[in-house]
Amino acid sequence: MDSFLLAMNRRAILLSVIFVVLSDHRPISTVHAASNVHIVYMGKRQHHDPTVVSNSHHDMLASVLGSKEAASDSLIYSYRHGFSGFAAKLTESQAQALAEFPGVVHVTPNRLHKPHTTRSWDYLGLDFHSQTNLLSESNMGDGVIIGVVDTGIWPESKSFNDKGLGPVPSRWKGVCKSGERFNSTNCNRKLIGARWYIKGLKAELGKKLNITGVDYFSPRDGFGHGTHTSATAAGSFVENVSYKGLGKGTARGGAPKARLAMYKVCWNIPYTYSYCTTSADVLKAFDDAIHDGVDVLSLSLGFMIPLYFDVDERNDIAFGAFHAVAKGITVVCSAGNDGSIAQSVSNTSPWIITVAASTIDRAFPTVVTLGNNRTIMGQSMFTGKKEIGFVGLISPVDVGEIDGPIASSCSFLSPDNVTMPGKVVLCFGGGHWSAEDAVKEAGGVGLIFARNPTSQVSPCIELPCVEVDYEIGMQLLNYIRSSRSPLVKLSPSKTLVGKPLSTKVASFSSRGPNSIAAAVLKPDIAAPGVNILAAFPDDPIDGGYALFPGTSDGGYAFLSGTSMSCPHVSGIVALLKSLYPQWSPAAIKSALVTTASTSDESGGPIFADGYPRKVADPFDYGGGIVNPNRAVDPGLIYDMGMEDYLHYLCSMGYTNSAISKLRQHSTVCPINPPSILNLNLPSITVPNLKTSVTILRTVTNVGPVNSVYTASIESPPTIHATVQPHILIFNSTAKKLSFTVTLSSTQKVIGGYYFGRLTWSDREHTVRSPISVRPEIIPSYVDNS
Ligand SMILES: *[C@@H]1O[C@H](CO)[C@@H](O)[C@H](O)[C@H]1NC(C)=O
Ligand SMILES: *[C@@H]1O[C@H](CO)[C@@H](O)[C@H](O)[C@H]1NC(C)=O
Ligand SMILES: *[C@@H]1O[C@H](CO)[C@@H](O)[C@H](O)[C@H]1NC(C)=O
Ligand SMILES: *[C@@H]1O[C@H](CO)[C@@H](O)[C@H](O)[C@H]1NC(C)=O
Ligand SMILES: *[C@@H]1O[C@H](CO)[C@@H](O)[C@H](O)[C@H]1NC(C)=O
Ligand SMILES: *[C@@H]1O[C@H](CO)[C@@H](O)[C@H](O)[C@H]1NC(C)=O
């Protein structure tokens, strides 16, 4: 089943639970299990008096937790105005018990909202004050139509205002379909179309489908995901947006003058995380979008774990995308949030642009000052106004360890023997939520959390919590151990942007190689997807509801995931489309891939977070980090059309009848279909190099008519690579030229992939293709030579 790729949030929760288990040697049953924030949702409010409603929440919670006091500690919010429900810290079993209560619609884990800003577009070089970038050259994507296939849209968001926009393009044939709390007056010159699809899901779930009180039977977004992705792709300018003061700035999408059309196919179904509906509905959405006249389709959804299902191009997204691409519509999809495991990338078809997630150059540093006046930098989302301290700093030790006391993860503190009221507590590893719980319970006023360095900031809910790496954690521990009365001061977080912060591929971003067609590089490209601020459903409108009320600040929220990186590329594609309406989807993909950045601004390498952390390779980020101002002038492109995709399908072993059905007219594959290695991709991937292989590519000159390009090749280690010819001379008659790349293995090895690259350059343009090769030589003990 499809599920959409905000999974980052859920995954982070999962990870923190796993960390708890790994970091504690004691059996989990003997200690209190980790409790996380859950939302207990109870549908429409049953009583007019908010106090009555809130008391009833309290009683329910007390009956599960055992006492009024425990209930007070656990309760975070009581929702009692627009609807009934509450947020509380609960263990899994407590959450289950509450879900059984009469009147409870569902209990869901809270989503982690990552504070972030509107920085990503400036970071990508699309500063709107500049007169000379892709944004201004393309007039901000004016007139281009982006279709978003997602959870719906919150039309009242300021990000969808249509100030300064011209009329709806006359070629537009879409509609604004009405439904629950949504009618044609909700569309405007920004949101020009909206449709919703639930018939297929109804057919599948029958009577079990009841979304009353959790989602709207209309294009209205009950979840927030689709509002966020739409605003990232094409939101209008909105000034003075921040999350509780962090990352303040002007919010806008990649193509602020492009128009949006929402195709709602994902629904909140009680007792499940989310459902993006059946093939029938998704295909209908594609069908309508093609008919309506969209130019770009943005899909932040995909199969959760590709290998668990019989997934190939016959899945609904790949199928729908095939039809869209056949009509010249570029289809952009998220890669998935199942990294950093290899072969986890989804949306693997060669006609799709598949987007990985990277960080941007922003952080939220927090100054930690010690009693000896030393200062240390940590990261946090400490949005309080006042600093904390100086107060005592302690590091509890876990007792009973075989090798004597060690520094504690704090997850399982016993308040009886730790004196921490009024102190800041230093904790190592473990889950930050369970540590936060324990420290709060023991009366601590702050938390310094030492852990593996990552780019994501943990949003502590009730205490300031500052993250540092293990090295700094050890320095702090030494200070505590060497000082008679260790003291510390925590300052509120600042927003830092700029060069000192290096770009990384996010650890959650799904990785190649492609598990369906190993010779097709996936993901194609990376774009910002960590801590992205964009529009979110505001608090419930008169009697309406939003699933996660109160989690956004003024209608803006911070989310992380490849769901967030995908619409960044969709926005950039819209800008390119407005400049080059005739470019094929393959040409646009080539322009993005061959111009992407493989080093950060200071020339350093781009790393990939994950296990282990390493320098990024094409399976992490495809061609690299998207670089829109270079993609606008790529020099050469590797183009493809339907013929190429048919060759691909033939060489993938699809039958004539399957392909004929897909194309809706009779097709016969050649007896010997061309090698899949010769698919004219802007990358070269050889999953099984025996001794030597020669690969064909054709480039089209889209730069100055008379151009001379020279090849340079960085051979992957142990591989000998040559290009023939190594000079390409373009003129008014020679616009398209072919060349071959021969790769030979120089060693008798079996093993992993090696990486290199091919670059064509005319001094003005550099056209880079990543090369990935896995040698597969029969070892000498087999062939005896
Ligand atoms: C559309 O909805 C708005 C607000 O709910 C309402 O005022 C308006 O009358 C509706 N328009 C139509 C055509 O139904
Ligand atoms: C659907 O859910 C709502 C809210 O929980 C409830 O009031 C209604 O009775 C349910 N409808 C059906 C048909 O089960
Ligand atoms: C920006 O928003 C903050 C609150 O978030 C408000 O205090 C401030 O006055 C606003 N500034 C402008 C220029 O609107
Ligand atoms: C720390 O700095 C303050 C003011 O700068 C000074 O008064 C104090 O003596 C210093 N403390 C130590 C331990 O150096
Ligand atoms: C800490 O408290 C636990 C019981 O709460 C007790 O078993 C243990 O001995 C105490 N440890 C110390 C060092 O006081
Ligand atoms: C273009 O280049 C080709 C091959 O190099 C050559 O045969 C042809 O004459 C050239 N055409 C022009 C107009 O210069």
Side-chain angles (χ1 to χ4, degrees):
M1 216 27 346
D2 289 343
S3 74
F4 57 104
L5 295 177
L6 181 73
M8 174 52 204
N9 299 322
R10 194 197 211 183
R11 183 172 190 84
I13 293 165
L14 217 73
L15 275 180
S16 81
V17 173
I18 292 165
F19 272 134
V20 172
V21 174
L22 292 180
S23 65
D24 198 277
H25 306 256
R26 290 165 290 190
I28 194 139
S29 56
T30 67
V31 296
H32 38 280
S35 52
N36 289 328
V37 176
H38 286 74
I39 312 240
V40 179
Y41 180 72
M42 303 176 65
K44 263 224 175 78
R45 164 168 76 114
Q46 301 299 316
H47 202 283
H48 286 297
D49 182 351
T51 322
V52 173
V53 177
S54 138
N55 286 346
S56 75
H57 296 160
H58 211 263
D59 292 347
M60 265 175 75
L61 200 50
S63 76
V64 168
L65 300 186
S67 74
K68 291 239 166 222
E69 292 67 39
S72 299
D73 284 352
S74 154
L75 190 69
I76 292 166
Y77 292 116
S78 187
Y79 308 123
R80 57 199 183 184
H81 297 292
F83 64 94
S84 174
F86 55 90
K89 288 197 185 182
L90 301 169
T91 63
E92 279 309 313
S93 60
Q94 290 162 350
Q96 271 165 22
L98 277 165
E100 305 291 317
F101 266 68
V104 172
V105 176
H106 63 192
V107 180
T108 49
N110 193 26
R111 314 200 299 173
L112 288 181
H113 290 269
K114 311 272 173 166
H116 238 210
T117 76
T118 42
R119 167 87 192 151
S120 51
W121 297 111
D122 288 355
Y123 163 77
L124 290 174
L126 296 182
D127 173 359
F128 80 95
H129 297 296
S130 164
Q131 302 301 308
T132 58
N133 61 21
L134 170 58
L135 186 64
S136 52
E137 284 172 31
S138 66
N139 193 21
M140 306 194 192
D142 197 3
V144 177
I145 301 165
I146 304 178
V148 180
V149 181
D150 213 302
T151 63
I153 194 160
W154 196 258
E156 290 82 8
S157 169
K158 286 179 258 176
S159 285
F160 308 126
N161 80 70
D162 62 359
K163 243 189 299 171
L165 290 180
V168 171
S170 57
R171 64 199 165 87
W172 178 242
K173 289 196 279 190
V175 298
C176 195
K177 269 206 151 173
S178 50
E180 187 183 357
R181 293 186 173 274
F182 199 99
N183 66 31
S184 57
T185 63
N186 289 118
C187 286
N188 60 14
R189 286 166 293 151
K190 165 60 73 180
L191 178 64
I192 63 172
R195 295 177 184 266
W196 50 292
Y197 304 87
I198 200 164
K199 277 190 197 152
L201 191 65
K202 262 188 182 152
E204 200 163 290
L205 297 184
K207 286 224 163 73
K208 281 186 286 178
L209 177 68
N210 181 9
I211 59 163
T212 305
V214 288
D215 205 338
Y216 301 87
F217 284 100
S218 76
R220 183 175 290 279
D221 187 358
F223 199 96
H225 189 268
T227 301
H228 201 275
T229 56
S230 300
T232 299
S236 300
F237 288 90
V238 183
E239 282 174 18
N240 196 23
V241 165
S242 78
Y243 179 81
K244 299 180 179 169
L246 285 180
K248 191 173 284 216
T250 298
R252 68 172 174 91
K257 289 193 175 175
R259 315 308 170 90
L260 284 165
M262 171 53 63
Y263 298 86
K264 178 172 173 178
V265 300
C266 298
W267 299 86
N268 278 315
I269 311 296
Y271 304 109
T272 68
Y273 187 63
S274 74
Y275 255 111
C276 296
T277 54
T278 59
S279 302
D281 291 333
V282 173
L283 279 178
K284 183 70 183 140
F286 270 107
D287 197 31
D288 284 343
I290 293 165
H291 161 271
D292 292 349
V294 304
D295 303 301
V296 184
L297 271 169
S298 187
L299 287 94
S300 291
L301 42 114
F303 286 88
M304 197 76 138
I305 304 163
L307 295 181
Y308 281 17
F309 300 96
D310 177 24
V311 177
D312 57 18
E313 276 76 21
R314 278 163 275 209
N315 82 49
D316 45 355
I317 294 176
F319 250 35
F322 181 86
H323 293 296
V325 167
K327 294 272 161 37
I329 299 165
T330 297
V331 180
V332 186
C333 293
S334 42
N337 297 333
D338 295 308
S340 55
I341 303 162
Q343 293 193 330
S344 50
V345 63
S346 59
N347 294 317
T348 54
S349 304
W351 46 84
I352 290 174
I353 300 177
T354 308
V355 188
S358 58
T359 63
I360 61 170
D361 60 345
R362 185 181 49 210
F364 302 107
T366 303
V367 175
V368 176
T369 311
L370 302 181
N372 60 11
N373 282 352
R374 239 198 98 196
T375 59
I376 278 169
M377 278 294 182
Q379 283 241 79
S380 83
M381 282 171 47
F382 175 15
T383 57
K385 293 268 179 291
K386 278 199 223 133
E387 59 191 24
I388 296 211
F390 285 99
V391 298
L393 174 63
I394 63 162
S395 178
V397 291
D398 281 346
V399 289
E401 297 292 339
I402 297 161
D403 301 323
I406 59 155
S408 172
S409 73
C410 302
S411 298
F412 307 106
L413 290 175
S414 160
D416 310 349
N417 51 19
V418 187
T419 51
M420 54 179 73
K423 291 188 178 171
V424 168
V425 185
L426 173 65
C427 308
F428 283 78
H432 75 270
W433 281 2
S434 47
E436 187 193 355
D437 279 347
V439 169
K440 169 113 195 302
E441 203 172 301
V445 295
L447 182 60
I448 298 176
F449 199 68
R451 64 167 196 178
N452 282 317
T454 79
S455 41
Q456 288 143 53
V457 183
S458 301
C460 279
I461 293 165
E462 294 177 85
L463 294 175
C465 68
V466 181
E467 297 189 349
V468 298
D469 64 20
Y470 281 125
E471 188 185 342
I472 289 179
M474 284 315 293
Q475 291 172 16
L476 290 171
L477 189 62
N478 289 336
Y479 165 69
I480 292 171
R481 287 177 176 170
S482 65
S483 167
R484 216 172 309 137
S485 62
L487 293 174
V488 71
K489 183 170 77 183
L490 306 180
S491 305
S493 308
K494 297 262 191 322
T495 304
L496 174 70
V497 294
K499 274 191 184 170
L501 300 163
S502 65
T503 298
K504 287 174 281 187
V505 175
S507 58
F508 60 78
S509 187
S510 287
R511 310 300 160 101
N514 183 335
S515 59
I516 290 166
V520 174
L521 178 66
K522 290 287 166 177
D524 292 299
I525 197 144
V530 176
N531 300 343
I532 300 302
L533 176 65
F536 206 72
D538 214 339
D539 289 334
I541 48 168
D542 56 342
Y545 36 81
L547 190 62
F548 298 100
T551 48
S552 75
D553 180 24
Y556 288 82
F558 292 93
L559 301 179
S560 295
T562 53
S563 281
M564 283 68 238
S565 58
C566 164
H568 275 87
V569 171
S570 306
I572 291 163
V573 168
L575 301 179
L576 292 172
K577 278 257 179 183
S578 107
L579 278 178
Y580 309 113
Q582 298 313 317
W583 279 16
S584 69
I588 287 179
K589 171 152 113 180
S590 173
L592 293 171
V593 170
T594 61
T595 59
S597 306
T598 53
S599 58
D600 71 10
E601 241 184 73
S602 53
I606 290 167
F607 283 87
D609 265 347
Y611 313 98
R613 188 166 184 268
K614 61 180 179 65
V615 172
D617 64 46
F619 294 147
D620 302 314
Y621 63 11
I625 312 285
V626 67
N627 187 342
N629 290 324
R630 287 201 51 228
V632 68
D633 183 20
L636 305 179
I637 55 176
Y638 294 81
D639 206 355
M640 278 196 280
M642 265 305 124
E643 282 305 300
D644 302 271
Y645 300 132
L646 289 175
H647 284 161
Y648 165 81
L649 291 170
C650 291
S651 54
M652 284 289 286
Y654 284 76
T655 62
N656 289 337
S657 88
I659 298 175
S660 302
K661 265 191 209 135
L662 183 57
R663 295 187 69 200
Q664 281 150 4
H665 63 84
S666 170
T667 306
V668 179
C669 286
I671 308 280
N672 293 309
S675 163
I676 197 168
L677 297 177
N678 290 339
L679 193 64
N680 203 37
L681 291 164
S683 54
I684 293 172
T685 311
V686 184
N688 53 351
L689 178 62
K690 298 274 190 309
T691 42
S692 176
V693 68
T694 296
I695 292 161
L696 180 70
R697 286 287 184 276
T698 302
V699 281
T700 307
N701 181 21
V702 294
V705 171
N706 295 299
S707 299
V708 178
Y709 278 84
T710 310
S712 67
I713 197 155
E714 286 166 48
S715 299
T718 81
I719 304 292
H720 181 66
T722 56
V723 187
Q724 186 60 37
H726 71 280
I727 294 180
L728 296 176
I729 302 167
F730 295 90
N731 60 29
S732 58
T733 54
K735 293 186 165 145
K736 230 175 200 213
L737 295 171
S738 295
F739 62 90
T740 61
V741 174
T742 300
L743 300 167
S744 325
S745 184
T746 60
Q747 282 186 7
K748 300 197 173 203
V749 289
I750 304 184
Y753 278 90
Y754 295 112
F755 304 101
R757 62 185 169 194
L758 165 67
T759 306
W760 288 102
S761 175
D762 68 346
R763 288 160 190 249
E764 286 287 305
H765 307 89
T766 45
V767 187
R768 251 189 329 245
S769 291
I771 302 176
S772 317
V773 182
R774 181 170 58 185
E776 208 177 67
I777 302 285
I778 296 165
S780 55
Y781 61 79
V782 174
D783 73 2
N784 225 6
S785 59

PDB file of all heavy atoms in Angstrom, residues 154-167:
ATOM      1  N   TRP A 154      -4.910  23.399   2.548  1.00  0.00           N
ATOM      2  CA  TRP A 154      -5.609  24.299   3.459  1.00  0.00           C
ATOM      3  C   TRP A 154      -5.698  25.638   2.734  1.00  0.00           C
ATOM      4  O   TRP A 154      -4.739  26.420   2.748  1.00  0.00           O
ATOM      5  CB  TRP A 154      -4.822  24.407   4.759  1.00  0.00           C
ATOM      6  CG  TRP A 154      -5.586  24.993   5.904  1.00  0.00           C
ATOM      7  CD1 TRP A 154      -5.497  26.274   6.378  1.00  0.00           C
ATOM      8  CD2 TRP A 154      -6.532  24.322   6.730  1.00  0.00           C
ATOM      9  NE1 TRP A 154      -6.343  26.431   7.445  1.00  0.00           N
ATOM     10  CE2 TRP A 154      -6.994  25.249   7.694  1.00  0.00           C
ATOM     11  CE3 TRP A 154      -7.055  23.017   6.753  1.00  0.00           C
ATOM     12  CZ2 TRP A 154      -7.941  24.920   8.665  1.00  0.00           C
ATOM     13  CZ3 TRP A 154      -7.988  22.699   7.727  1.00  0.00           C
ATOM     14  CH2 TRP A 154      -8.426  23.640   8.669  1.00  0.00           C
ATOM     15  N   PRO A 155      -6.800  25.919   2.064  1.00  0.00           N
ATOM     16  CA  PRO A 155      -6.807  27.035   1.108  1.00  0.00           C
ATOM     17  C   PRO A 155      -6.672  28.401   1.775  1.00  0.00           C
ATOM     18  O   PRO A 155      -6.251  29.351   1.124  1.00  0.00           O
ATOM     19  CB  PRO A 155      -8.170  26.892   0.417  1.00  0.00           C
ATOM     20  CG  PRO A 155      -9.023  26.126   1.365  1.00  0.00           C
ATOM     21  CD  PRO A 155      -8.089  25.222   2.120  1.00  0.00           C
ATOM     22  N   GLU A 156      -7.026  28.486   3.076  1.00  0.00           N
ATOM     23  CA  GLU A 156      -6.943  29.782   3.763  1.00  0.00           C
ATOM     24  C   GLU A 156      -5.507  30.202   4.062  1.00  0.00           C
ATOM     25  O   GLU A 156      -5.264  31.337   4.453  1.00  0.00           O
ATOM     26  CB  GLU A 156      -7.721  29.751   5.083  1.00  0.00           C
ATOM     27  CG  GLU A 156      -9.230  29.683   4.928  1.00  0.00           C
ATOM     28  CD  GLU A 156      -9.738  28.266   4.667  1.00  0.00           C
ATOM     29  OE1 GLU A 156      -8.925  27.317   4.769  1.00  0.00           O
ATOM     30  OE2 GLU A 156     -10.921  28.101   4.337  1.00  0.00           O
ATOM     31  N   SER A 157      -4.542  29.300   3.912  1.00  0.00           N
ATOM     32  CA  SER A 157      -3.162  29.664   4.248  1.00  0.00           C
ATOM     33  C   SER A 157      -2.719  30.888   3.447  1.00  0.00           C
ATOM     34  O   SER A 157      -2.984  31.001   2.255  1.00  0.00           O
ATOM     35  CB  SER A 157      -2.216  28.508   3.952  1.00  0.00           C
ATOM     36  OG  SER A 157      -0.884  28.970   4.042  1.00  0.00           O
ATOM     37  N   LYS A 158      -2.006  31.779   4.140  1.00  0.00           N
ATOM     38  CA  LYS A 158      -1.482  32.978   3.478  1.00  0.00           C
ATOM     39  C   LYS A 158      -0.560  32.616   2.310  1.00  0.00           C
ATOM     40  O   LYS A 158      -0.385  33.387   1.383  1.00  0.00           O
ATOM     41  CB  LYS A 158      -0.707  33.832   4.488  1.00  0.00           C
ATOM     42  CG  LYS A 158      -1.612  34.571   5.467  1.00  0.00           C
ATOM     43  CD  LYS A 158      -0.791  35.385   6.462  1.00  0.00           C
ATOM     44  CE  LYS A 158      -0.727  34.671   7.789  1.00  0.00           C
ATOM     45  NZ  LYS A 158       0.120  35.312   8.790  1.00  0.00           N
ATOM     46  N   SER A 159       0.032  31.436   2.376  1.00  0.00           N
ATOM     47  CA  SER A 159       0.946  31.031   1.304  1.00  0.00           C
ATOM     48  C   SER A 159       0.221  30.825  -0.024  1.00  0.00           C
ATOM     49  O   SER A 159       0.855  30.726  -1.069  1.00  0.00           O
ATOM     50  CB  SER A 159       1.677  29.744   1.684  1.00  0.00           C
ATOM     51  OG  SER A 159       2.665  30.021   2.638  1.00  0.00           O
ATOM     52  N   PHE A 160      -1.103  30.718   0.008  1.00  0.00           N
ATOM     53  CA  PHE A 160      -1.839  30.510  -1.238  1.00  0.00           C
ATOM     54  C   PHE A 160      -2.619  31.755  -1.640  1.00  0.00           C
ATOM     55  O   PHE A 160      -3.604  31.688  -2.361  1.00  0.00           O
ATOM     56  CB  PHE A 160      -2.754  29.279  -1.113  1.00  0.00           C
ATOM     57  CG  PHE A 160      -2.008  28.053  -0.637  1.00  0.00           C
ATOM     58  CD1 PHE A 160      -2.432  27.327   0.459  1.00  0.00           C
ATOM     59  CD2 PHE A 160      -0.842  27.655  -1.282  1.00  0.00           C
ATOM     60  CE1 PHE A 160      -1.717  26.221   0.917  1.00  0.00           C
ATOM     61  CE2 PHE A 160      -0.113  26.556  -0.836  1.00  0.00           C
ATOM     62  CZ  PHE A 160      -0.549  25.833   0.267  1.00  0.00           C
ATOM     63  N   ASN A 161      -2.174  32.928  -1.165  1.00  0.00           N
ATOM     64  CA  ASN A 161      -2.815  34.162  -1.621  1.00  0.00           C
ATOM     65  C   ASN A 161      -2.413  34.416  -3.080  1.00  0.00           C
ATOM     66  O   ASN A 161      -1.362  33.981  -3.533  1.00  0.00           O
ATOM     67  CB  ASN A 161      -2.426  35.337  -0.711  1.00  0.00           C
ATOM     68  CG  ASN A 161      -1.069  35.899  -1.042  1.00  0.00           C
ATOM     69  OD1 ASN A 161      -0.863  36.526  -2.078  1.00  0.00           O
ATOM     70  ND2 ASN A 161      -0.095  35.658  -0.168  1.00  0.00           N
ATOM     71  N   ASP A 162      -3.277  35.116  -3.806  1.00  0.00           N
ATOM     72  CA  ASP A 162      -3.001  35.298  -5.248  1.00  0.00           C
ATOM     73  C   ASP A 162      -2.723  36.757  -5.604  1.00  0.00           C
ATOM     74  O   ASP A 162      -2.911  37.179  -6.732  1.00  0.00           O
ATOM     75  CB  ASP A 162      -4.149  34.737  -6.092  1.00  0.00           C
ATOM     76  CG  ASP A 162      -5.473  35.448  -5.840  1.00  0.00           C
ATOM     77  OD1 ASP A 162      -5.520  36.378  -4.997  1.00  0.00           O
ATOM     78  OD2 ASP A 162      -6.467  35.073  -6.485  1.00  0.00           O
ATOM     79  N   LYS A 163      -2.210  37.482  -4.600  1.00  0.00           N
ATOM     80  CA  LYS A 163      -1.869  38.888  -4.837  1.00  0.00           C
ATOM     81  C   LYS A 163      -0.855  39.005  -5.982  1.00  0.00           C
ATOM     82  O   LYS A 163       0.142  38.297  -6.004  1.00  0.00           O
ATOM     83  CB  LYS A 163      -1.249  39.484  -3.569  1.00  0.00           C
ATOM     84  CG  LYS A 163      -2.070  40.609  -2.966  1.00  0.00           C
ATOM     85  CD  LYS A 163      -1.316  41.314  -1.831  1.00  0.00           C
ATOM     86  CE  LYS A 163      -0.990  40.376  -0.697  1.00  0.00           C
ATOM     87  NZ  LYS A 163      -0.107  40.882   0.324  1.00  0.00           N
ATOM     88  N   GLY A 164      -1.128  39.888  -6.915  1.00  0.00           N
ATOM     89  CA  GLY A 164      -0.159  40.182  -7.972  1.00  0.00           C
ATOM     90  C   GLY A 164      -0.095  39.143  -9.077  1.00  0.00           C
ATOM     91  O   GLY A 164       0.727  39.249  -9.976  1.00  0.00           O
ATOM     92  N   LEU A 165      -0.941  38.116  -9.013  1.00  0.00           N
ATOM     93  CA  LEU A 165      -0.908  37.109 -10.071  1.00  0.00           C
ATOM     94  C   LEU A 165      -1.883  37.470 -11.176  1.00  0.00           C
ATOM     95  O   LEU A 165      -2.963  38.005 -10.916  1.00  0.00           O
ATOM     96  CB  LEU A 165      -1.287  35.729  -9.510  1.00  0.00           C
ATOM     97  CG  LEU A 165      -0.279  35.064  -8.577  1.00  0.00           C
ATOM     98  CD1 LEU A 165      -0.819  33.718  -8.113  1.00  0.00           C
ATOM     99  CD2 LEU A 165       1.050  34.880  -9.283  1.00  0.00           C
ATOM    100  N   GLY A 166      -1.507  37.145 -12.417  1.00  0.00           N
ATOM    101  CA  GLY A 166      -2.387  37.364 -13.556  1.00  0.00           C
ATOM    102  C   GLY A 166      -3.528  36.359 -13.548  1.00  0.00           C
ATOM    103  O   GLY A 166      -3.666  35.552 -12.623  1.00  0.00           O
ATOM    104  N   PRO A 167      -4.353  36.386 -14.598  1.00  0.00           N
ATOM    105  CA  PRO A 167      -5.488  35.468 -14.648  1.00  0.00           C
ATOM    106  C   PRO A 167      -5.032  34.007 -14.719  1.00  0.00           C
ATOM    107  O   PRO A 167      -3.889  33.715 -15.052  1.00  0.00           O
ATOM    108  CB  PRO A 167      -6.226  35.870 -15.926  1.00  0.00           C
ATOM    109  CG  PRO A 167      -5.252  36.658 -16.719  1.00  0.00           C
ATOM    110  CD  PRO A 167      -4.278  37.265 -15.767  1.00  0.00           C
TER     111      PRO A 167
END
